[in-house]
Amino acid sequence: QQPRRHRVSHGKISFADLSKMISSQWKDADDETKEYCRVMRELDRRKFDELKLKFEEESQSNEEISGGENEHSKEDVDIEDDPVLSGHPKSPISDAPTANAVKVASSQHSVTS
């Protein structure tokens, strides 16, 4: 079986060219920019880990309560009640630190890869 041929869906840039462009820009980026990206990556990883743990705990709790039966289907999700889907100010996404807060955090803590 032959490998699938690469296709450009939007006609602007191929994935390979995009990847080369990004890696070239990353290589040329100054240390401040790289540190900012590392701090943001670490903050995002921590937030993801917290949300994942909370989700797993809630899922386990719901399974224990319902006896393993899922009482809600995907169609039952109310977007207005979900802070992430509704764009609510309390959304985890809206808690992202500003560039200035990241600079302060990066100067106080060294984040390693």
Side-chain angles (χ1 to χ4, degrees):
Q1 189 177 23
Q2 293 182 349
R4 186 176 142 203
R5 215 177 115 227
H6 178 72
R7 290 178 274 176
V8 177
S9 59
H10 50 71
K12 294 182 181 181
I13 189 170
S14 69
F15 180 78
D17 290 340
L18 178 64
S19 177
K20 289 175 187 175
M21 184 174 65
I22 291 170
S23 75
S24 171
Q25 288 178 357
W26 179 255
K27 185 178 83 173
D28 295 339
D30 61 15
D31 290 339
E32 184 180 352
T33 301
K34 288 181 179 183
E35 183 62 19
Y36 172 82
C37 292
R38 287 183 188 109
V39 169
M40 292 303 295
R41 179 193 66 210
E42 181 63 21
L43 292 172
D44 284 345
R45 186 192 60 80
R46 289 179 187 175
K47 185 168 290 283
F48 171 80
D49 289 344
E50 290 172 13
L51 291 171
K52 181 180 173 189
L53 181 62
K54 181 179 176 183
F55 173 79
E56 289 170 349
E57 289 172 351
E58 288 176 359
S59 293
Q60 185 177 14
S61 175
N62 287 341
E63 280 185 23
E64 290 171 1
I65 291 171
S66 67
E69 294 178 16
N70 185 358
E71 58 190 61
H72 297 290
S73 68
K74 289 182 181 180
E75 291 80 27
D76 293 336
V77 175
D78 187 359
I79 292 176
E80 296 300 320
D81 293 338
D82 188 303
V84 174
L85 297 176
S86 68
H88 190 275
K90 294 290 185 184
S91 165
I93 297 168
S94 69
D95 293 340
T98 62
N100 191 36
V102 171
K103 285 180 184 177
V104 170
S106 66
S107 67
Q108 294 174 349
H109 303 287
S110 175
V111 178
T112 59
S113 0

